[in-house]
Amino acid sequence: MSIRDLLKAHGKPPREVYFDLENSGLVPPEVVDAMLPYFNRIGYGHPSITHKVGWEAYEILYETKELVSKTIGASSPEEIVITHSGTEANNLAIMGFALANRTKKGKIIVSAIEHLSVIFPAETASELFGFEVLRIPVDTEGFIDPEIFQAYIDKDTSLVSIQMVNHEIGTIQNIKELAEIAKDTNPNVIFHTDAADAYGRIKFRVDDLGVDLLTISSHKIHGPRGVGILYVREGVKLSPILRGQLSVEKLWPGVENIPLIAGFKKAVELAFTNFDANVSKMMILRDMLLRGILDNVPDVLVNGPIGEKRAPDNINVSFLYVEGEAITIEFSLRGIYVSSGSACTSRILEPSHVLLAIGRKHEEAHGSILFKVSRYHNREDIAYALSQIPEAIDRLRKISSLKPRKI
Ligand SMILES: Cc1ncc(COP(=O)(O)O)c(C=O)c1O
């Protein structure tokens, strides 16, 4: 019986709680409603063509840029580039920079726990254009030591890319401090931050942080998948990495996906309505779930920091002596949907590079489970999860071959 058959055969659990928001978000009805008219009633035209429906398409596109620009403190909507995903925005930041600066080359500095959509393009920039790529280590909670960081920056550093919040372990990096160090040491450094897991949950302004490039992903804030943003500070030189017919975006060719952009705009509006109350709610639910797990399940390691320095929505724990894949299946039978490691790693059963970078052993990384809470969860969801998790882990440990050896 395949896993799919097993999950189908098991029938509907008494309650379903979706915690896999790292990999794809829930899209609320308001966002779906905002998208629908753009398929066939308004704005279905090409946004750079001058007729009524083209103009309507341009309008929603421009309003989205205006809104995003306001929420991050950019100086103009022209600094907002809309792509089709966070992955594309990160690729544009790294490869677009490398392509534009290929004759100067230099060093690209990333942290050891960046998303692969930063690490892989940095490696490609090295292979294609000869940039030297350096990966800064992090401590056991995922933080970069400012002194170590400073030692990495020199006159040859051309680009730094450090994420604001780690997508797996929730570490909130002090980007303002790191950007200051980088620019004080070498004023020519361009600083990129991947804020996919920060936007809509942590308040920031690009002018305050001092960053030049910043990434956002729509599905991380309950928008539709397939929209990404790259903030490009005016004057920063990037080259388009895709070639083709330009529309409104001068760095991203192809026709913009107007219905998804309209959905993303609504998701931004919702994320910034009652921002503080929503973040407090996430923190309460996060702490309730974490405390409940630690109090009721033995042999659990928390991955990443605890408290204020952790993203309000992130819980990542390693259940020792069980495989993450077995946990996701057992939880799924009970209506609890989580991921093991990250989506990029879970199917190939490689331990996550993030967990290895914070010093987790392979077997600890394998039993890691990521839960993300949102403003759409409630206390009953957490209570239901806590009613199932101890029993589920206990059952798996009884049949696991990874049990601790008795001395
Ligand atoms: C930190 C981070 N950056 C970038 C991305 C890529 O975004 P997208 O899924 O929109 O391609 C993700 C997605 O999981 C992420 O977590």
Side-chain angles (χ1 to χ4, degrees), residues 21-24 83-90 113-118 163-168 192 194-198 201 215-220 224-229 342-344 372:
L21 295 163
E22 163 58 18
N23 293 315
S24 75
T83 66
H84 298 139
S85 66
T87 297
E88 292 181 7
N90 278 342
I113 58 172
E114 290 306 307
H115 195 260
L116 294 177
S117 58
V118 164
Q163 62 191 176
M164 199 177 296
V165 168
N166 182 265
H167 48 295
E168 287 187 44
H192 167 245
D194 175 357
D197 274 81
R201 286 143 289 174
T215 295
I216 292 170
S217 163
S218 162
H219 71 85
K220 296 294 180 112
R225 267 167 274 181
V227 182
I229 297 289
S342 71
C344 334
K372 284 209 171 167

Side-chain angles (χ1 to χ4, degrees), residues 276-306:
D276 294 337
N278 287 332
V279 169
S280 306
K281 179 180 178 186
M282 283 181 224
M283 280 179 168
I284 290 168
L285 297 178
R286 174 196 72 182
D287 294 345
M288 194 178 152
L289 182 55
L290 180 61
R291 184 60 19 234
I293 292 173
L294 294 177
D295 286 349
N296 295 292
V297 186
D299 298 322
V300 175
L301 304 176
V302 179
N303 298 312
I306 292 186

